[in-house]
Amino acid sequence: MTWVLGVDSGGSGLRAALAPADDVTRAVTAVSDEPVRTGPDGADAGHLLRLLLPMVRSLLLRAGDGAIASAVLGAAGMASLGGPLRARLPDALSAELGVRSTALAADGVTAYAGALGQRPGAVVAAGTGMIALGTDLYAWRRADGWGHLLGDAGGGAWIGRAGLEAALRAHDGRRGGSAALLARAEAAFGPAEELPERLYPRPDRPAVLASFAPEVAACADDDPVAAAILTAAARHIADTAAAVCPPPARGGGATRGGPSGEGVEIALTGGLFKLGEALLAPLRRELAAQLPHARLTSTAGDPLSGALLLASALHSGDLRLPPHPTLLYLPGAAATAS
């Protein structure tokens, strides 16, 4: 049997899936709830390998005999701080698992592939972080994905941080505070005055902040401060989506693989949208205002299924999403920047 491997590494953990190269729907999966550690240079490649290699070996034992022809690893932070992963992972996967060809992708790219396949369009991938990608299948357009300190506006960590700030405002007696969010913050993290010491030293700060986003959504129906946070998040998400929609086709014709301009498809993917109507209702309003001709479409799959789809395409020679030096890195391939 010839296998393909898909990997999804994000703020809340690591997932891997192994599937026959000719039928990625027949996948076996493994999950680790431990996020890959990050440092000044981004994701810790050594830690990722220590988590991933035993998972993949276990999957091979479950799946049966065969070799891994290709692998696609999608990782949060790959677009900005993926240098160590690009330097180490292709050779390591070849040496340790016999993988013949590897591509490394930003998590937004695997989310794109999971949502729209290899069609032109735009995808907003939002979980702990937030990134939007669009392509006409010639080049990529990227917006945000700059991490919880400099960007990811509207993402889970952004919403959680805004909610905790409103909680601390209420604790201090400042304007803009929310007593409801203060009560939920103290239930989740303990006394408000201890929150900085519980949060700041943690290496998984973005995930901890994002864990409070559902509490903001839960308060939104009855608390105007929480509702305003989600409305602001929706505005940020729509701004980012508008920035990446494919431009009119070159020469006035069709894009490679489909139409462009009016009617462009936009898909929303990622755990953030499980917050439900408290976020989705204002987001639909913002998208309708900013992108009146776009079509909001349902997602076909998640980032892990997108990684598998790309791994299968890499193996068969049918990879149509454009290579890029940081967004979709194929060792030895020419890359097209946006």
Side-chain angles (χ1 to χ4, degrees):
M1 179 69 74
T2 299
W3 304 103
V4 293
L5 173 67
V7 180
D8 176 42
S9 176
S12 57
L14 181 70
R15 300 185 298 156
L18 194 70
D22 59 354
D23 185 2
V24 295
T25 64
R26 293 168 48 206
V28 289
T29 62
V31 178
S32 169
D33 292 333
E34 181 180 356
V36 174
R37 290 196 297 263
T38 59
D41 297 323
D44 183 328
H47 186 231
L48 189 152
L49 287 168
R50 286 194 294 276
L51 294 175
L52 178 63
L53 293 177
M55 293 170 64
V56 178
R57 292 184 179 118
S58 174
L59 289 174
L60 285 168
L61 286 174
R62 288 167 54 192
D65 292 335
I68 301 176
S70 61
V72 171
L73 188 148
M78 182 73 75
S80 303
L81 293 170
L85 300 183
R86 291 187 287 271
R88 288 191 57 183
L89 288 187
D91 288 344
L93 294 180
S94 176
E96 297 288 341
L97 299 172
V99 178
R100 299 171 197 163
S101 58
T102 297
L104 303 180
D107 56 345
V109 170
T110 51
Y112 187 104
L116 293 180
Q118 298 197 84
R119 305 195 304 274
V123 168
V124 177
T128 298
M130 214 282 295
I131 188 171
L133 292 173
T135 183
D136 55 3
L137 302 188
Y138 289 97
W140 289 102
R141 296 163 69 92
R142 166 198 167 166
D144 213 339
W146 302 121
H148 75 291
L149 293 178
L150 297 176
D152 288 353
W158 187 96
I159 292 171
R161 187 213 56 79
L164 290 172
E165 180 188 349
L168 292 175
R169 284 180 173 274
H171 174 268
D172 294 345
R174 291 179 287 153
R175 289 191 302 171
S178 164
L181 291 175
L182 175 60
R184 288 181 177 263
E186 292 193 321
F189 300 109
E193 56 271 15
E194 296 178 8
L195 184 58
E197 65 190 76
R198 292 179 182 273
L199 179 63
Y200 291 154
R202 293 187 60 151
D204 58 346
R205 281 191 308 274
V208 176
L209 289 170
S211 72
F212 196 65
E215 303 296 337
V216 178
C219 291
D221 282 345
D222 301 311
D223 182 63
V225 173
I229 290 170
L230 294 179
T231 298
R235 188 174 305 115
H236 285 305
I237 294 168
D239 288 345
T240 306
V244 303
C245 278
R250 300 179 184 196
T255 62
R256 180 182 171 194
S260 185
E262 293 191 3
V264 66
E265 288 184 283
I266 298 177
L268 308 176
T269 184
L272 184 71
F273 299 113
K274 294 178 182 178
L275 294 182
E277 285 301 302
L279 175 64
L280 292 173
L283 179 55
R284 284 192 291 267
R285 291 194 295 270
E286 287 289 340
L287 288 171
Q290 295 194 39
L291 295 164
H293 301 299
R295 289 189 295 114
L296 193 59
T297 187
S298 59
T299 60
D302 67 2
L304 185 59
S305 66
L308 275 178
L309 181 150
L310 294 178
S312 178
L314 181 64
H315 169 63
S316 66
D318 189 35
L319 186 63
R320 296 193 296 275
L321 294 183
H324 185 279
T326 60
L327 295 174
L328 182 56
Y329 173 69
L330 281 63
T336 304
S338 61

